[in-house]
Amino acid sequence: MAEHLTVVDHPLVQHKLTLMRDKGTSTAEFRRLLREITQLLAYEVTRDLPLTTTPVETPMEDMEAPILAGKKLALVSILRAGNGMLDGVLELVPSARVGFVGLYRDEETLKPVQYYFKAPESLNDRMVIAVDPMLATGNSSVAAIDLLKEAGATDIRFLCLLAAPEGVARMKEAHPDVSIVTASLDRELNEKGYIMPGLGDAGDRMFGTK
Ligand code: URA
């Protein structure tokens, strides 16, 4: 992917995002919308998956037809909110391997603290898509990508629903090779590290924990 940041401005993405931002949207609806919007974003982030060809016998004649090449892609959820994006990607790429990075944000320092890491094998041979709905300060995203690189990943993309300019800049500085796909680049972070106008706490909204 050439661009460091891609904002997907497709009308369906923008419409669904507006519904997700609405504080009156229910937990069930929020989850459903996140799954649907992630499918649309996944279409964009997988745009340059490598292809080869395979012989196929159609009812009419034989042909060489395109098919995905190489190892299955690795999808890595940054816990816990990343889990809300897994199903949307897996509906498009059902054979993807799935990993998890557990980081929580210290509410005082806003710095990430690692508590879990499990990644598919041979990360160096796979396209790796890290998912987290909110690219806010970028601290946890940068830390997650650090871990994936330490585990061998070389082709990493970051898929999120909303990005703050601060998070995009932090990612660009730390990981200029990692392209970001998002539905919106919002205005700014507030003093607590929340994206403005944003949609609030994505984990709380999708899991109904507040
Ligand atoms: N995480 C969230 O869930 N929301 C924000 O606005 C920022 C980080």
Side-chain angles (χ1 to χ4, degrees), residues 4 78 101 103 112 130 132 134-150 156 158 166-176 178 180:
H4 185 254
I78 302 175
V101 179
L103 297 163
D132 187 346
M134 310 299 268
L135 175 56
T137 61
N139 288 336
S140 58
S141 315
V142 165
I145 306 272
D146 285 342
L147 292 169
L148 291 170
K149 286 187 174 174
E150 278 166 31
I156 309 174
F158 188 84
E166 296 88 336
V168 172
R170 173 106 170 78
M171 279 280 277
K172 188 164 192 175
E173 189 195 342
H175 297 296
V178 174
I180 301 166

PDB file of all heavy atoms in Angstrom, residues 4 78 101 103 112 130 132 134-150 156 158 166-176 178 180:
ATOM      1  N   HIS A   4       0.059   6.318   3.421  1.00  0.00           N
ATOM      2  CA  HIS A   4       0.147   6.002   4.847  1.00  0.00           C
ATOM      3  C   HIS A   4      -1.232   5.992   5.490  1.00  0.00           C
ATOM      4  O   HIS A   4      -1.521   5.178   6.355  1.00  0.00           O
ATOM      5  CB  HIS A   4       1.053   7.009   5.560  1.00  0.00           C
ATOM      6  CG  HIS A   4       1.269   6.646   6.992  1.00  0.00           C
ATOM      7  ND1 HIS A   4       0.678   7.323   8.032  1.00  0.00           N
ATOM      8  CD2 HIS A   4       1.968   5.637   7.555  1.00  0.00           C
ATOM      9  CE1 HIS A   4       1.028   6.746   9.172  1.00  0.00           C
ATOM     10  NE2 HIS A   4       1.799   5.735   8.909  1.00  0.00           N
ATOM     11  N   ILE A  78      -6.434  -6.092  18.653  1.00  0.00           N
ATOM     12  CA  ILE A  78      -5.890  -5.421  19.829  1.00  0.00           C
ATOM     13  C   ILE A  78      -7.037  -5.372  20.838  1.00  0.00           C
ATOM     14  O   ILE A  78      -8.051  -4.703  20.613  1.00  0.00           O
ATOM     15  CB  ILE A  78      -5.338  -4.027  19.463  1.00  0.00           C
ATOM     16  CG1 ILE A  78      -4.259  -4.195  18.381  1.00  0.00           C
ATOM     17  CG2 ILE A  78      -4.785  -3.328  20.702  1.00  0.00           C
ATOM     18  CD1 ILE A  78      -3.695  -2.911  17.823  1.00  0.00           C
ATOM     19  N   VAL A 101      -3.488  -9.242  20.801  1.00  0.00           N
ATOM     20  CA  VAL A 101      -2.551  -8.465  21.615  1.00  0.00           C
ATOM     21  C   VAL A 101      -3.364  -7.829  22.733  1.00  0.00           C
ATOM     22  O   VAL A 101      -4.341  -7.118  22.454  1.00  0.00           O
ATOM     23  CB  VAL A 101      -1.852  -7.363  20.788  1.00  0.00           C
ATOM     24  CG1 VAL A 101      -0.896  -6.563  21.673  1.00  0.00           C
ATOM     25  CG2 VAL A 101      -1.100  -7.949  19.607  1.00  0.00           C
ATOM     26  N   LEU A 103      -3.495  -5.196  25.547  1.00  0.00           N
ATOM     27  CA  LEU A 103      -2.872  -3.982  26.088  1.00  0.00           C
ATOM     28  C   LEU A 103      -3.980  -3.199  26.768  1.00  0.00           C
ATOM     29  O   LEU A 103      -5.059  -3.089  26.212  1.00  0.00           O
ATOM     30  CB  LEU A 103      -2.316  -3.113  24.956  1.00  0.00           C
ATOM     31  CG  LEU A 103      -1.199  -3.674  24.092  1.00  0.00           C
ATOM     32  CD1 LEU A 103      -1.078  -2.871  22.803  1.00  0.00           C
ATOM     33  CD2 LEU A 103       0.114  -3.638  24.842  1.00  0.00           C
ATOM     34  N   PRO A 112       0.386   2.318  27.202  1.00  0.00           N
ATOM     35  CA  PRO A 112      -0.109   0.932  27.130  1.00  0.00           C
ATOM     36  C   PRO A 112       0.657  -0.025  28.048  1.00  0.00           C
ATOM     37  O   PRO A 112       1.867   0.104  28.204  1.00  0.00           O
ATOM     38  CB  PRO A 112       0.155   0.567  25.673  1.00  0.00           C
ATOM     39  CG  PRO A 112       1.265   1.446  25.239  1.00  0.00           C
ATOM     40  CD  PRO A 112       1.235   2.684  26.068  1.00  0.00           C
ATOM     41  N   ALA A 130      -3.716  -5.518  11.692  1.00  0.00           N
ATOM     42  CA  ALA A 130      -4.020  -5.264  13.107  1.00  0.00           C
ATOM     43  C   ALA A 130      -5.298  -4.443  13.166  1.00  0.00           C
ATOM     44  O   ALA A 130      -5.459  -3.478  12.399  1.00  0.00           O
ATOM     45  CB  ALA A 130      -2.870  -4.510  13.755  1.00  0.00           C
ATOM     46  N   ASP A 132      -8.158  -2.325  15.544  1.00  0.00           N
ATOM     47  CA  ASP A 132      -8.551  -1.638  16.778  1.00  0.00           C
ATOM     48  C   ASP A 132      -9.445  -0.481  16.318  1.00  0.00           C
ATOM     49  O   ASP A 132      -9.021   0.300  15.460  1.00  0.00           O
ATOM     50  CB  ASP A 132      -7.312  -1.094  17.507  1.00  0.00           C
ATOM     51  CG  ASP A 132      -7.654  -0.534  18.876  1.00  0.00           C
ATOM     52  OD1 ASP A 132      -8.857  -0.317  19.163  1.00  0.00           O
ATOM     53  OD2 ASP A 132      -6.717  -0.292  19.666  1.00  0.00           O
ATOM     54  N   MET A 134     -10.309   2.366  17.512  1.00  0.00           N
ATOM     55  CA  MET A 134      -9.965   3.759  17.790  1.00  0.00           C
ATOM     56  C   MET A 134      -8.451   3.980  17.782  1.00  0.00           C
ATOM     57  O   MET A 134      -7.742   3.474  18.656  1.00  0.00           O
ATOM     58  CB  MET A 134     -10.519   4.163  19.163  1.00  0.00           C
ATOM     59  CG  MET A 134     -11.987   3.824  19.367  1.00  0.00           C
ATOM     60  SD  MET A 134     -13.084   4.624  18.203  1.00  0.00           S
ATOM     61  CE  MET A 134     -13.500   6.100  19.099  1.00  0.00           C
ATOM     62  N   LEU A 135      -7.960   4.759  16.819  1.00  0.00           N
ATOM     63  CA  LEU A 135      -6.550   5.176  16.830  1.00  0.00           C
ATOM     64  C   LEU A 135      -6.534   6.548  17.495  1.00  0.00           C
ATOM     65  O   LEU A 135      -6.796   7.564  16.855  1.00  0.00           O
ATOM     66  CB  LEU A 135      -5.994   5.225  15.407  1.00  0.00           C
ATOM     67  CG  LEU A 135      -4.565   5.748  15.248  1.00  0.00           C
ATOM     68  CD1 LEU A 135      -3.574   4.966  16.102  1.00  0.00           C
ATOM     69  CD2 LEU A 135      -4.135   5.714  13.784  1.00  0.00           C
ATOM     70  N   ALA A 136      -6.277   6.552  18.806  1.00  0.00           N
ATOM     71  CA  ALA A 136      -6.384   7.790  19.591  1.00  0.00           C
ATOM     72  C   ALA A 136      -4.994   8.411  19.804  1.00  0.00           C
ATOM     73  O   ALA A 136      -4.491   9.109  18.921  1.00  0.00           O
ATOM     74  CB  ALA A 136      -7.112   7.495  20.898  1.00  0.00           C
ATOM     75  N   THR A 137      -4.346   8.137  20.941  1.00  0.00           N
ATOM     76  CA  THR A 137      -2.991   8.678  21.133  1.00  0.00           C
ATOM     77  C   THR A 137      -1.989   7.965  20.228  1.00  0.00           C
ATOM     78  O   THR A 137      -0.927   8.491  19.921  1.00  0.00           O
ATOM     79  CB  THR A 137      -2.518   8.470  22.584  1.00  0.00           C
ATOM     80  OG1 THR A 137      -2.496   7.056  22.857  1.00  0.00           O
ATOM     81  CG2 THR A 137      -3.408   9.171  23.587  1.00  0.00           C
ATOM     82  N   GLY A 138      -2.335   6.724  19.855  1.00  0.00           N
ATOM     83  CA  GLY A 138      -1.404   5.904  19.066  1.00  0.00           C
ATOM     84  C   GLY A 138      -0.482   5.087  19.951  1.00  0.00           C
ATOM     85  O   GLY A 138       0.241   4.223  19.457  1.00  0.00           O
ATOM     86  N   ASN A 139      -0.502   5.317  21.266  1.00  0.00           N
ATOM     87  CA  ASN A 139       0.433   4.607  22.146  1.00  0.00           C
ATOM     88  C   ASN A 139       0.244   3.094  22.085  1.00  0.00           C
ATOM     89  O   ASN A 139       1.207   2.341  21.935  1.00  0.00           O
ATOM     90  CB  ASN A 139       0.271   5.075  23.597  1.00  0.00           C
ATOM     91  CG  ASN A 139       0.809   6.477  23.805  1.00  0.00           C
ATOM     92  OD1 ASN A 139       1.671   6.929  23.042  1.00  0.00           O
ATOM     93  ND2 ASN A 139       0.309   7.187  24.808  1.00  0.00           N
ATOM     94  N   SER A 140      -1.002   2.631  22.216  1.00  0.00           N
ATOM     95  CA  SER A 140      -1.216   1.176  22.216  1.00  0.00           C
ATOM     96  C   SER A 140      -1.032   0.597  20.814  1.00  0.00           C
ATOM     97  O   SER A 140      -0.517  -0.515  20.664  1.00  0.00           O
ATOM     98  CB  SER A 140      -2.594   0.813  22.788  1.00  0.00           C
ATOM     99  OG  SER A 140      -3.601   1.436  22.040  1.00  0.00           O
ATOM    100  N   SER A 141      -1.400   1.348  19.794  1.00  0.00           N
ATOM    101  CA  SER A 141      -1.221   0.857  18.423  1.00  0.00           C
ATOM    102  C   SER A 141       0.264   0.689  18.121  1.00  0.00           C
ATOM    103  O   SER A 141       0.685  -0.331  17.571  1.00  0.00           O
ATOM    104  CB  SER A 141      -1.828   1.842  17.428  1.00  0.00           C
ATOM    105  OG  SER A 141      -3.086   2.257  17.862  1.00  0.00           O
ATOM    106  N   VAL A 142       1.060   1.678  18.489  1.00  0.00           N
ATOM    107  CA  VAL A 142       2.510   1.607  18.247  1.00  0.00           C
ATOM    108  C   VAL A 142       3.101   0.425  19.020  1.00  0.00           C
ATOM    109  O   VAL A 142       3.902  -0.348  18.484  1.00  0.00           O
ATOM    110  CB  VAL A 142       3.196   2.942  18.632  1.00  0.00           C
ATOM    111  CG1 VAL A 142       4.704   2.778  18.752  1.00  0.00           C
ATOM    112  CG2 VAL A 142       2.852   4.015  17.600  1.00  0.00           C
ATOM    113  N   ALA A 143       2.665   0.243  20.273  1.00  0.00           N
ATOM    114  CA  ALA A 143       3.182  -0.865  21.084  1.00  0.00           C
ATOM    115  C   ALA A 143       2.779  -2.209  20.478  1.00  0.00           C
ATOM    116  O   ALA A 143       3.578  -3.155  20.457  1.00  0.00           O
ATOM    117  CB  ALA A 143       2.665  -0.745  22.521  1.00  0.00           C
ATOM    118  N   ALA A 144       1.551  -2.317  19.987  1.00  0.00           N
ATOM    119  CA  ALA A 144       1.090  -3.568  19.372  1.00  0.00           C
ATOM    120  C   ALA A 144       1.903  -3.876  18.114  1.00  0.00           C
ATOM    121  O   ALA A 144       2.318  -5.014  17.891  1.00  0.00           O
ATOM    122  CB  ALA A 144      -0.396  -3.466  19.029  1.00  0.00           C
ATOM    123  N   ILE A 145       2.157  -2.859  17.318  1.00  0.00           N
ATOM    124  CA  ILE A 145       2.937  -3.066  16.083  1.00  0.00           C
ATOM    125  C   ILE A 145       4.388  -3.429  16.438  1.00  0.00           C
ATOM    126  O   ILE A 145       4.999  -4.270  15.776  1.00  0.00           O
ATOM    127  CB  ILE A 145       2.894  -1.805  15.188  1.00  0.00           C
ATOM    128  CG1 ILE A 145       1.452  -1.391  14.916  1.00  0.00           C
ATOM    129  CG2 ILE A 145       3.705  -1.997  13.902  1.00  0.00           C
ATOM    130  CD1 ILE A 145       0.701  -1.934  13.813  1.00  0.00           C
ATOM    131  N   ASP A 146       4.929  -2.805  17.504  1.00  0.00           N
ATOM    132  CA  ASP A 146       6.274  -3.187  17.972  1.00  0.00           C
ATOM    133  C   ASP A 146       6.313  -4.691  18.221  1.00  0.00           C
ATOM    134  O   ASP A 146       7.248  -5.384  17.790  1.00  0.00           O
ATOM    135  CB  ASP A 146       6.611  -2.486  19.303  1.00  0.00           C
ATOM    136  CG  ASP A 146       6.963  -1.014  19.133  1.00  0.00           C
ATOM    137  OD1 ASP A 146       7.275  -0.603  17.999  1.00  0.00           O
ATOM    138  OD2 ASP A 146       6.906  -0.275  20.142  1.00  0.00           O
ATOM    139  N   LEU A 147       5.302  -5.210  18.935  1.00  0.00           N
ATOM    140  CA  LEU A 147       5.262  -6.646  19.278  1.00  0.00           C
ATOM    141  C   LEU A 147       5.155  -7.508  18.023  1.00  0.00           C
ATOM    142  O   LEU A 147       5.803  -8.550  17.912  1.00  0.00           O
ATOM    143  CB  LEU A 147       4.075  -6.941  20.205  1.00  0.00           C
ATOM    144  CG  LEU A 147       4.167  -6.349  21.612  1.00  0.00           C
ATOM    145  CD1 LEU A 147       2.826  -6.486  22.337  1.00  0.00           C
ATOM    146  CD2 LEU A 147       5.263  -7.054  22.404  1.00  0.00           C
ATOM    147  N   LEU A 148       4.334  -7.068  17.070  1.00  0.00           N
ATOM    148  CA  LEU A 148       4.161  -7.848  15.837  1.00  0.00           C
ATOM    149  C   LEU A 148       5.463  -7.878  15.027  1.00  0.00           C
ATOM    150  O   LEU A 148       5.827  -8.906  14.466  1.00  0.00           O
ATOM    151  CB  LEU A 148       3.019  -7.262  14.999  1.00  0.00           C
ATOM    152  CG  LEU A 148       1.633  -7.460  15.616  1.00  0.00           C
ATOM    153  CD1 LEU A 148       0.574  -6.658  14.861  1.00  0.00           C
ATOM    154  CD2 LEU A 148       1.261  -8.941  15.617  1.00  0.00           C
ATOM    155  N   LYS A 149       6.168  -6.758  15.017  1.00  0.00           N
ATOM    156  CA  LYS A 149       7.453  -6.731  14.298  1.00  0.00           C
ATOM    157  C   LYS A 149       8.470  -7.624  15.002  1.00  0.00           C
ATOM    158  O   LYS A 149       9.223  -8.346  14.353  1.00  0.00           O
ATOM    159  CB  LYS A 149       7.969  -5.297  14.166  1.00  0.00           C
ATOM    160  CG  LYS A 149       7.190  -4.494  13.126  1.00  0.00           C
ATOM    161  CD  LYS A 149       7.814  -3.132  12.873  1.00  0.00           C
ATOM    162  CE  LYS A 149       7.097  -2.422  11.718  1.00  0.00           C
ATOM    163  NZ  LYS A 149       7.576  -1.045  11.531  1.00  0.00           N
ATOM    164  N   GLU A 150       8.481  -7.569  16.353  1.00  0.00           N
ATOM    165  CA  GLU A 150       9.396  -8.453  17.103  1.00  0.00           C
ATOM    166  C   GLU A 150       9.103  -9.911  16.791  1.00  0.00           C
ATOM    167  O   GLU A 150       9.997 -10.756  16.805  1.00  0.00           O
ATOM    168  CB  GLU A 150       9.245  -8.227  18.612  1.00  0.00           C
ATOM    169  CG  GLU A 150      10.020  -7.036  19.141  1.00  0.00           C
ATOM    170  CD  GLU A 150       9.577  -6.648  20.549  1.00  0.00           C
ATOM    171  OE1 GLU A 150       9.158  -7.547  21.313  1.00  0.00           O
ATOM    172  OE2 GLU A 150       9.609  -5.447  20.862  1.00  0.00           O
ATOM    173  N   ILE A 156       2.585  -5.070   7.477  1.00  0.00           N
ATOM    174  CA  ILE A 156       1.522  -4.826   8.465  1.00  0.00           C
ATOM    175  C   ILE A 156       0.648  -3.664   8.013  1.00  0.00           C
ATOM    176  O   ILE A 156       1.152  -2.630   7.546  1.00  0.00           O
ATOM    177  CB  ILE A 156       2.129  -4.478   9.852  1.00  0.00           C
ATOM    178  CG1 ILE A 156       3.164  -5.525  10.267  1.00  0.00           C
ATOM    179  CG2 ILE A 156       1.034  -4.366  10.915  1.00  0.00           C
ATOM    180  CD1 ILE A 156       3.911  -5.196  11.551  1.00  0.00           C
ATOM    181  N   PHE A 158      -2.874  -1.334   9.457  1.00  0.00           N
ATOM    182  CA  PHE A 158      -3.646  -1.035  10.658  1.00  0.00           C
ATOM    183  C   PHE A 158      -5.035  -0.593  10.228  1.00  0.00           C
ATOM    184  O   PHE A 158      -5.189   0.369   9.468  1.00  0.00           O
ATOM    185  CB  PHE A 158      -2.944   0.068  11.451  1.00  0.00           C
ATOM    186  CG  PHE A 158      -3.554   0.307  12.792  1.00  0.00           C
ATOM    187  CD1 PHE A 158      -3.191  -0.475  13.880  1.00  0.00           C
ATOM    188  CD2 PHE A 158      -4.505   1.298  12.976  1.00  0.00           C
ATOM    189  CE1 PHE A 158      -3.770  -0.281  15.118  1.00  0.00           C
ATOM    190  CE2 PHE A 158      -5.088   1.499  14.213  1.00  0.00           C
ATOM    191  CZ  PHE A 158      -4.712   0.710  15.291  1.00  0.00           C
ATOM    192  N   GLU A 166      -3.427  13.096  16.079  1.00  0.00           N
ATOM    193  CA  GLU A 166      -2.297  12.808  16.974  1.00  0.00           C
ATOM    194  C   GLU A 166      -1.839  11.357  16.834  1.00  0.00           C
ATOM    195  O   GLU A 166      -0.644  11.055  16.832  1.00  0.00           O
ATOM    196  CB  GLU A 166      -2.689  13.067  18.438  1.00  0.00           C
ATOM    197  CG  GLU A 166      -3.021  14.525  18.764  1.00  0.00           C
ATOM    198  CD  GLU A 166      -4.491  14.900  18.533  1.00  0.00           C
ATOM    199  OE1 GLU A 166      -5.169  14.237  17.719  1.00  0.00           O
ATOM    200  OE2 GLU A 166      -4.950  15.875  19.162  1.00  0.00           O
ATOM    201  N   GLY A 167      -2.797  10.441  16.736  1.00  0.00           N
ATOM    202  CA  GLY A 167      -2.479   9.013  16.616  1.00  0.00           C
ATOM    203  C   GLY A 167      -1.859   8.686  15.274  1.00  0.00           C
ATOM    204  O   GLY A 167      -0.922   7.877  15.190  1.00  0.00           O
ATOM    205  N   VAL A 168      -2.365   9.321  14.231  1.00  0.00           N
ATOM    206  CA  VAL A 168      -1.824   9.093  12.889  1.00  0.00           C
ATOM    207  C   VAL A 168      -0.367   9.573  12.841  1.00  0.00           C
ATOM    208  O   VAL A 168       0.524   8.883  12.321  1.00  0.00           O
ATOM    209  CB  VAL A 168      -2.677   9.820  11.820  1.00  0.00           C
ATOM    210  CG1 VAL A 168      -2.009   9.738  10.452  1.00  0.00           C
ATOM    211  CG2 VAL A 168      -4.074   9.214  11.766  1.00  0.00           C
ATOM    212  N   ALA A 169      -0.115  10.751  13.441  1.00  0.00           N
ATOM    213  CA  ALA A 169       1.250  11.301  13.441  1.00  0.00           C
ATOM    214  C   ALA A 169       2.194  10.395  14.240  1.00  0.00           C
ATOM    215  O   ALA A 169       3.334  10.132  13.815  1.00  0.00           O
ATOM    216  CB  ALA A 169       1.241  12.712  14.035  1.00  0.00           C
ATOM    217  N   ARG A 170       1.719   9.901  15.364  1.00  0.00           N
ATOM    218  CA  ARG A 170       2.550   9.025  16.217  1.00  0.00           C
ATOM    219  C   ARG A 170       2.886   7.726  15.475  1.00  0.00           C
ATOM    220  O   ARG A 170       4.014   7.250  15.529  1.00  0.00           O
ATOM    221  CB  ARG A 170       1.774   8.755  17.507  1.00  0.00           C
ATOM    222  CG  ARG A 170       2.361   7.760  18.438  1.00  0.00           C
ATOM    223  CD  ARG A 170       2.976   8.413  19.659  1.00  0.00           C
ATOM    224  NE  ARG A 170       3.333   7.402  20.640  1.00  0.00           N
ATOM    225  CZ  ARG A 170       4.410   6.637  20.553  1.00  0.00           C
ATOM    226  NH1 ARG A 170       5.253   6.776  19.546  1.00  0.00           N
ATOM    227  NH2 ARG A 170       4.671   5.728  21.484  1.00  0.00           N
ATOM    228  N   MET A 171       1.883   7.169  14.775  1.00  0.00           N
ATOM    229  CA  MET A 171       2.119   5.930  14.018  1.00  0.00           C
ATOM    230  C   MET A 171       3.088   6.192  12.863  1.00  0.00           C
ATOM    231  O   MET A 171       3.962   5.374  12.576  1.00  0.00           O
ATOM    232  CB  MET A 171       0.789   5.402  13.463  1.00  0.00           C
ATOM    233  CG  MET A 171      -0.014   4.643  14.478  1.00  0.00           C
ATOM    234  SD  MET A 171       0.599   2.951  14.674  1.00  0.00           S
ATOM    235  CE  MET A 171      -0.239   2.201  13.301  1.00  0.00           C
ATOM    236  N   LYS A 172       2.920   7.330  12.223  1.00  0.00           N
ATOM    237  CA  LYS A 172       3.778   7.638  11.067  1.00  0.00           C
ATOM    238  C   LYS A 172       5.236   7.785  11.499  1.00  0.00           C
ATOM    239  O   LYS A 172       6.154   7.364  10.811  1.00  0.00           O
ATOM    240  CB  LYS A 172       3.299   8.918  10.379  1.00  0.00           C
ATOM    241  CG  LYS A 172       4.016   9.174   9.077  1.00  0.00           C
ATOM    242  CD  LYS A 172       3.319  10.178   8.210  1.00  0.00           C
ATOM    243  CE  LYS A 172       3.940  10.148   6.816  1.00  0.00           C
ATOM    244  NZ  LYS A 172       3.249  11.013   5.887  1.00  0.00           N
ATOM    245  N   GLU A 173       5.400   8.367  12.693  1.00  0.00           N
ATOM    246  CA  GLU A 173       6.760   8.563  13.213  1.00  0.00           C
ATOM    247  C   GLU A 173       7.381   7.209  13.588  1.00  0.00           C
ATOM    248  O   GLU A 173       8.523   6.920  13.244  1.00  0.00           O
ATOM    249  CB  GLU A 173       6.655   9.465  14.444  1.00  0.00           C
ATOM    250  CG  GLU A 173       7.962   9.951  14.977  1.00  0.00           C
ATOM    251  CD  GLU A 173       7.803  10.530  16.379  1.00  0.00           C
ATOM    252  OE1 GLU A 173       6.676  10.847  16.785  1.00  0.00           O
ATOM    253  OE2 GLU A 173       8.822  10.625  17.061  1.00  0.00           O
ATOM    254  N   ALA A 174       6.603   6.376  14.309  1.00  0.00           N
ATOM    255  CA  ALA A 174       7.147   5.110  14.823  1.00  0.00           C
ATOM    256  C   ALA A 174       7.171   4.023  13.756  1.00  0.00           C
ATOM    257  O   ALA A 174       8.090   3.197  13.729  1.00  0.00           O
ATOM    258  CB  ALA A 174       6.327   4.652  16.025  1.00  0.00           C
ATOM    259  N   HIS A 175       6.145   3.987  12.918  1.00  0.00           N
ATOM    260  CA  HIS A 175       6.009   2.891  11.942  1.00  0.00           C
ATOM    261  C   HIS A 175       5.565   3.441  10.576  1.00  0.00           C
ATOM    262  O   HIS A 175       4.437   3.200  10.148  1.00  0.00           O
ATOM    263  CB  HIS A 175       4.991   1.865  12.447  1.00  0.00           C
ATOM    264  CG  HIS A 175       5.398   1.191  13.712  1.00  0.00           C
ATOM    265  ND1 HIS A 175       6.515   0.379  13.798  1.00  0.00           N
ATOM    266  CD2 HIS A 175       4.843   1.194  14.954  1.00  0.00           C
ATOM    267  CE1 HIS A 175       6.629  -0.081  15.038  1.00  0.00           C
ATOM    268  NE2 HIS A 175       5.636   0.405  15.756  1.00  0.00           N
ATOM    269  N   PRO A 176       6.468   4.154   9.891  1.00  0.00           N
ATOM    270  CA  PRO A 176       6.083   4.763   8.607  1.00  0.00           C
ATOM    271  C   PRO A 176       5.720   3.732   7.542  1.00  0.00           C
ATOM    272  O   PRO A 176       5.058   4.063   6.557  1.00  0.00           O
ATOM    273  CB  PRO A 176       7.333   5.561   8.199  1.00  0.00           C
ATOM    274  CG  PRO A 176       8.439   5.037   9.032  1.00  0.00           C
ATOM    275  CD  PRO A 176       7.849   4.475  10.275  1.00  0.00           C
ATOM    276  N   VAL A 178       3.767   1.176   8.017  1.00  0.00           N
ATOM    277  CA  VAL A 178       2.452   0.575   8.288  1.00  0.00           C
ATOM    278  C   VAL A 178       1.352   1.503   7.776  1.00  0.00           C
ATOM    279  O   VAL A 178       1.196   2.624   8.265  1.00  0.00           O
ATOM    280  CB  VAL A 178       2.266   0.316   9.810  1.00  0.00           C
ATOM    281  CG1 VAL A 178       0.857  -0.172  10.120  1.00  0.00           C
ATOM    282  CG2 VAL A 178       3.303  -0.693  10.299  1.00  0.00           C
ATOM    283  N   ILE A 180      -2.456   2.835   7.204  1.00  0.00           N
ATOM    284  CA  ILE A 180      -3.646   2.901   8.059  1.00  0.00           C
ATOM    285  C   ILE A 180      -4.865   3.073   7.170  1.00  0.00           C
ATOM    286  O   ILE A 180      -4.874   3.915   6.275  1.00  0.00           O
ATOM    287  CB  ILE A 180      -3.527   4.114   9.019  1.00  0.00           C
ATOM    288  CG1 ILE A 180      -2.281   3.998   9.900  1.00  0.00           C
ATOM    289  CG2 ILE A 180      -4.799   4.260   9.870  1.00  0.00           C
ATOM    290  CD1 ILE A 180      -1.916   5.298  10.617  1.00  0.00           C
TER     291      ILE A 180
END
